[in-house]
Amino acid sequence: MRGSWILGAALTALASCTAPTPSHGPISRRPNIVLFVVDDLGWQDIRVPLAEQPTAFNARYRTPNVERLAREGLAFTQAYSAAPVCTPTRAAIHTGIAPARSHITYWTLRKDTDTSANWPGLVPPAWDLNGVQPQDTTLAALLSTAGYRTIHVGKWHLGAVGTPGSDPRALGFDVNIAGHGAGAPASFHGTQNFAAPAGKGDPVWNVPGLERWHGQDIYLDEALAIEAVEQVDAALASGQPFFLNFAPYAVHAPIQPNPRYVGNYAHLDAREAAYASMVETMDAALGAVLDELDRRGIADETLVVFTSDNGGLSAHARGGEPHTHNAPLRSGKGSAYEGGTRVPLIVRGPGIAAARRSAQPVISSDLFPTLLAAAQVELPHDGVTRDGLDLAPHLRGEAPELERVLVWHQPHFWGARGPGIWPYSAVRVGDWKLIYRHHDRGVELYDLAHDLGESVDFATSDRRRVEELSGILGEELRSMGAQMSLEEATGEPIPWPDAVDQLGAFGYFEF
Ligand code: CA
């Protein structure tokens, strides 16, 4: 983020970062890039433990290819999505601009149409309803100009239906397979043409461009994996380096079982078994691409990034107790708590030592400068302020862990009810996180180093730190030109977090 460094304190080297032994040597040509962004994959939805101890969820899921990536690369244990829902995070990845700055603060669907749910007494600000558009400079456009073949496969959801930005080809991609303005499939099943039955449901969710697979017994992300592998082969035939943006539609709702894997989870309830089968499908799609890189002998010259666009769904549509599916994190998708935004991030590639972990806090917008640097492409000199940090020194194990300021800003209500699912802004400074609730102007303060589950709120007991972090959050939001929620009665923005007298005390609402 801009002004993101708190220098001085906490410049401590990670023990795991010392003396890395690169598994892949330096390369002279530009690496291929595979950016694998899973939809709604939670921090606990992989076999690779990202908490200090393995968890029951780690043991539940079968993700051998994610495990392989972690064995061969670097796993970040404190990676975050830029937002707790899809579009803002995807926009931050592809433009390098954080939601608070871009005003793409919520998910898009139709042109000029606000998808926000209603929170009593608040209305959203005049946010960017249409998402990323051709006037925005994107990762794919920059890589394309630099000679890359740019390929999008899967869910897009950066620009609204009915706008140019709904088509990845308007934003720098040479190829688009199955991407459009909607962020979920009507069906994951080829037998259903990945669509709602004719005359039923809203056709906006029908997945475009996969007619080849219609009527076949194939799961959506299985079809996408075959398409992605074919595109890798086509890129190799072209002689260009490639940028493959592979964004599986899984594990987003609708939660539909893949019959090839669901039998592996007979011990779970039907809904959770279906979800686990989607996770395994996603992993197999990753494996198909990794296998092809091996088969074609280009694994050593290809940077692979595996991540998710927000925390795991837990407020509805899941089996078992709601809001528990990201434990030890609190809550899930849509929430201000860690369950909403902490995500897996694993990176493998040239110059990255095998089997490393990093506790460096990182966020989606870091991928923009990081991938451009990997491709030896300069950041554009266009006067646009971008967020994010080039993680290259961290990938190489050459940088100490740095204390950063990370900001989230979602002046929207997601709709589902649950812990932390409010219009909110939040900041993480070092290991401390402050959440500013827009509806009652209250704050919560958590020590993530000792309380990953955000169970002990220090807001009333540590006033000094509340004041400090509220000030930092207010400064950050103002410097980014963030738009606060509006009071419905007056149409005026709610106060900045540092303009509220927190000693006035507010009731804590959770429902
Ligand atoms: Ca998502």
Side-chain angles (χ1 to χ4, degrees):
M1 326 292 298
R2 188 161 160 263
S4 286
W5 300 100
I6 304 287
L7 296 172
L11 298 180
T12 48
L14 276 179
S16 61
C17 285
T18 55
T21 310
S23 60
H24 307 95
I27 53 157
S28 52
R29 59 165 287 174
R30 296 179 174 192
N32 306 303
I33 298 169
V34 175
L35 176 55
F36 197 89
V37 182
V38 189
D39 197 0
D40 289 7
L41 188 79
W43 194 61
Q44 288 293 304
D45 289 354
I46 54 177
R47 184 69 68 111
V48 178
L50 296 175
E52 286 185 5
Q53 301 294 329
T55 65
F57 282 123
N58 294 143
R60 168 186 290 193
Y61 296 111
R62 296 176 183 229
T63 58
N65 293 293
V66 178
E67 287 177 275
R68 169 183 167 193
L69 208 58
R71 274 197 310 275
E72 297 172 352
L74 170 62
F76 286 92
T77 59
Q78 303 199 65
Y80 289 97
S81 58
V85 299
C86 309
T87 304
T89 293
R90 289 166 188 256
I93 291 172
H94 286 275
T95 67
I97 303 174
R101 189 187 307 279
S102 69
H103 299 173
I104 303 173
T105 42
Y106 203 55
W107 63 275
T108 54
L109 183 58
R110 292 181 172 86
K111 184 178 180 181
D112 298 333
T113 304
D114 195 341
T115 57
S116 307
N118 294 318
W119 185 283
L122 291 181
V123 291
W127 63 288
D128 187 339
L129 301 170
N130 294 326
V132 183
Q133 295 297 329
Q135 67 269 22
D136 300 313
T137 300
T138 62
L139 199 50
L142 292 167
L143 292 172
S144 179
T145 300
Y148 275 74
R149 184 174 172 89
T150 50
I151 305 153
H152 172 79
V153 177
K155 167 165 160 170
W156 177 241
H157 203 201
L158 272 82
V161 172
T163 71
S166 66
D167 187 339
R169 290 172 297 187
L171 295 172
F173 284 97
D174 299 321
V175 176
N176 170 36
I177 294 170
H180 68 144
S187 167
F188 279 98
H189 297 295
T191 50
Q192 297 174 340
N193 303 342
F194 314 113
K200 292 185 178 176
D202 186 337
V204 77
W205 305 109
N206 295 350
V207 180
L210 293 177
E211 290 77 10
R212 167 186 174 190
W213 305 102
H214 286 187
Q216 298 195 34
D217 175 20
I218 194 164
Y219 203 85
L220 175 53
D221 297 297
E222 295 171 335
L224 296 178
I226 295 169
E227 299 266 359
V229 166
E230 289 177 356
Q231 289 299 326
V232 167
D233 293 340
L236 287 172
S238 77
Q240 293 172 275
F242 63 84
F243 168 43
L244 170 63
N245 184 58
F246 189 171
Y249 275 88
V251 298
H252 194 289
I255 294 175
Q256 297 178 337
N258 183 339
R260 271 163 288 289
Y261 301 119
V262 73
N264 293 337
Y265 308 97
H267 57 293
L268 301 176
D269 73 46
R271 195 63 73 93
E272 288 304 285
Y275 185 83
S277 81
M278 296 172 78
V279 172
E280 192 164 353
T281 305
M282 167 287 294
D283 181 82
L286 173 67
V289 174
L290 296 181
D291 288 348
E292 189 65 6
L293 300 181
D294 286 343
R295 197 176 71 79
R296 301 301 302 265
I298 54 171
D300 284 356
E301 58 194 71
T302 302
L303 181 68
V304 180
V305 178
F306 173 89
T307 192
S308 174
D309 67 346
N310 50 255
L313 181 67
S314 196
H316 53 73
R318 296 289 301 270
E321 187 70 22
H323 317 304
T324 64
H325 299 89
N326 301 291
L329 306 183
R330 188 174 182 188
S331 201
K333 179 178 181 178
S335 173
Y337 295 122
E338 293 285 292
T341 52
R342 199 181 279 218
V343 293
L345 174 63
I346 302 173
V347 187
R348 184 192 82 176
I352 300 173
R356 279 180 54 232
R357 291 162 71 87
S358 170
Q360 171 66 52
V362 296
I363 195 163
S364 308
S365 46
D366 296 338
L367 293 178
F368 184 90
T370 301
L371 297 185
L372 288 178
Q376 299 154 43
V377 175
E378 273 191 40
L379 286 168
H381 302 287
D382 55 4
V384 173
T385 301
R386 292 181 175 83
D387 302 280
L389 168 73
D390 174 8
L391 300 177
H394 297 274
L395 298 180
R396 293 191 301 263
E398 293 170 356
E401 184 184 348
L402 294 174
E403 187 167 305
R404 304 179 74 177
V405 173
L406 300 178
V407 171
W408 296 267
H409 179 64
Q410 180 170 277
H412 308 270
F413 176 42
W414 186 48
R417 302 289 182 174
I421 303 177
W422 322 297
Y424 79 100
S425 307
V427 66
R428 177 175 168 162
V429 182
D431 287 326
W432 289 87
K433 178 176 165 188
L434 178 128
I435 300 169
Y436 176 51
R437 304 187 301 257
H438 289 189
H439 53 287
D440 66 355
R441 306 1 165 204
V443 295
E444 298 174 25
L445 178 67
Y446 297 104
D447 174 8
L448 297 177
H450 302 100
D451 180 27
L452 190 56
E454 295 166 287
S455 62
V456 181
D457 179 5
F458 288 87
T460 53
S461 59
D462 191 347
R463 305 308 307 174
R464 183 195 58 77
R465 203 179 296 273
V466 164
E467 191 173 331
E468 180 194 356
L469 266 66
S470 296
I472 293 171
L473 178 57
E475 281 298 316
E476 289 283 333
L477 291 174
R478 285 187 291 275
S479 77
M480 296 168 96
Q483 302 170 302
M484 300 305 286
S485 293
L486 308 178
E487 291 192 51
E488 190 171 27
T490 64
E492 292 296 316
I494 66 159
W496 299 107
D498 49 350
V500 175
D501 175 12
Q502 292 297 341
L503 291 176
F506 295 90
Y508 175 73
F509 297 105
E510 183 177 315
F511 48 86

